[in-house]
Amino acid sequence: PTLSGGEKGRASFARILAQGTRVLMLDEPTAALDIRHQEAVLVQAREQAVVGDAVVVVLHDLTLAAAYADVVAVLDGGRLSGHGVPRDVMTSDLLTEVYRYPIEVFEHPDRGELVVLPVREHAGREHAARPTPGKTVDHRSSILSRGPRDVRPEDPRHDLPDSPTAP
């Protein structure tokens, strides 16, 4: 049996911890992990920082970065665009500029934590399909731009409409 990408990542993290190093440099340690394991890895990294270890983590999941980092550095093309505590640095304006895509940053209404999300309407979807309670959702609409060149004739999706909003 072989290890999955997430299992390999967790094994690598365990090796780092077993070495007892006081400096941890983690590049995307949560990649290929489910939510439970993402949280476990970052909780452990945070615990290492609490006991005095230097912990540097590169994350593309900005909500995770905001939740676990004491200090964040936001890079744009290799240049520092923002540096400081997440609440001060991770603003909609800065992140929209850096990612060149509209980003919304808001406080979770119950927990007060920062949540970072792309503004998906900008992607050409005027109306996100939201299920109405008690109404059946047509799952075919989630297949975007499938046409004859990327779906074989024997594939049951072959006869689906190309429009993502068509029923």
Side-chain angles (χ1 to χ4, degrees):
T2 61
L3 297 177
S4 70
E7 290 168 330
K8 289 177 186 175
R10 289 174 48 221
S12 178
F13 185 57
R15 273 195 311 271
I16 291 168
L17 294 176
Q19 292 172 3
T21 181
R22 301 296 314 258
V23 177
L24 285 79
M25 300 189 78
L26 308 172
D27 185 11
E28 292 290 344
T30 58
L33 295 180
D34 60 34
I35 291 173
R36 178 173 61 106
H37 290 110
Q38 289 177 3
E39 292 292 320
V41 164
L42 292 176
V43 163
Q44 183 63 50
R46 185 87 179 112
E47 288 174 2
Q48 297 301 126
V50 167
V51 298
D53 293 349
V55 180
V56 177
V57 181
V58 175
L59 290 172
H60 285 96
D61 184 324
L62 302 178
T63 299
L64 281 177
Y68 285 98
D70 292 322
V71 175
V72 295
V74 177
L75 301 178
D76 184 3
R79 295 182 178 267
L80 188 64
S81 290
H83 179 260
V85 297
R87 197 165 290 281
D88 293 342
V89 174
M90 299 177 80
T91 65
S92 293
D93 289 340
L94 176 71
L95 296 177
T96 295
E97 180 182 326
V98 167
Y99 285 92
R100 293 162 190 77
Y101 193 90
I103 305 289
E104 183 176 9
V105 179
F106 59 92
E107 202 172 273
H108 187 280
D110 296 328
R111 300 180 58 118
E113 297 174 349
L114 289 183
V115 178
V116 181
L117 294 173
V119 178
R120 292 195 172 96
E121 287 81 13
H122 184 270
R125 291 176 30 181
E126 296 300 321
H127 303 80
R130 290 186 179 90
T132 305
K135 188 173 181 180
T136 304
V137 176
D138 182 357
H139 295 286
R140 294 183 302 173
S141 65
S142 66
I143 300 171
L144 302 177
S145 300
R146 296 286 184 196
R149 65 189 141 95
D150 46 9
V151 179
R152 293 185 308 271
E154 65 273 10
D155 190 311
R157 297 173 294 167
H158 180 72
D159 61 345
L160 295 179
D162 287 342
S163 170
T165 57

